[in-house]
Amino acid sequence: MASQMTEMLKGTLEGIVLAILAERPAYGYEITTGLRDRGFTDLAEGTIYALLVRIEQKKLVSVEKVPSEKGPPRKVFTLNNTGEQQLSDFWATWNVLVSRINALPHPDGNDESRES
């Protein structure tokens, strides 16, 4: 199941990170910790940092360098208007996808498509 989860996350991780940033601005380690606290324990830090570079390049976030007590300044990511629209589109697409998947027969006996 772990490899299937990893494959499914590849297509949704950007939306998940944008949802985290919709709660409040955060830097990379905070985002990674927040994801792990929510059960996304198999995510590598490098995956998150690479994604943060991509969403910055796509101009979905504003970035501010904030001094750190230890080490170099931290890049704090804040969802901007473009990112908010992207997140809204993500949720709309996600809801359509979930609806279509839930209409499929489920081998565990919870076949919602037969209830309609």
Side-chain angles (χ1 to χ4, degrees):
M1 183 168 110
S3 79
Q4 191 172 37
M5 179 71 75
T6 301
E7 288 301 312
M8 288 183 173
L9 278 174
K10 284 182 183 179
T12 58
L13 192 55
E14 179 179 294
I16 293 167
V17 169
L18 293 176
I20 296 277
L21 291 173
E23 292 178 328
R24 67 180 180 83
Y27 58 94
Y29 182 75
E30 287 178 310
I31 294 166
T32 302
T33 301
L35 288 166
R36 288 186 177 144
D37 289 347
R38 288 178 163 93
F40 297 98
T41 55
D42 294 334
L43 289 172
E45 268 185 58
T47 301
I48 301 304
Y49 286 103
L51 184 125
L52 290 171
V53 168
R54 285 195 305 275
I55 66 174
E56 182 179 359
Q57 289 172 341
K58 291 167 78 173
K59 300 186 184 330
L60 302 177
V61 292
S62 301
V63 179
E64 180 183 359
K65 289 193 177 188
V66 176
S68 171
E69 292 179 16
K70 300 176 185 177
R74 294 179 173 151
K75 289 174 85 172
V76 175
F77 297 86
T78 303
L79 199 61
N80 61 24
N81 290 338
T82 305
E84 288 174 3
Q85 183 59 53
Q86 182 75 9
L87 179 58
S88 178
D89 293 347
F90 167 80
W91 283 123
T93 303
W94 177 259
N95 289 332
V96 168
L97 184 60
V98 166
S99 173
R100 290 178 183 170
I101 289 172
N102 283 337
L104 296 171
H106 292 179
D108 64 2
N110 293 327
D111 184 2
E112 293 180 17
S113 65
R114 285 186 247 174
E115 295 174 8
S116 301

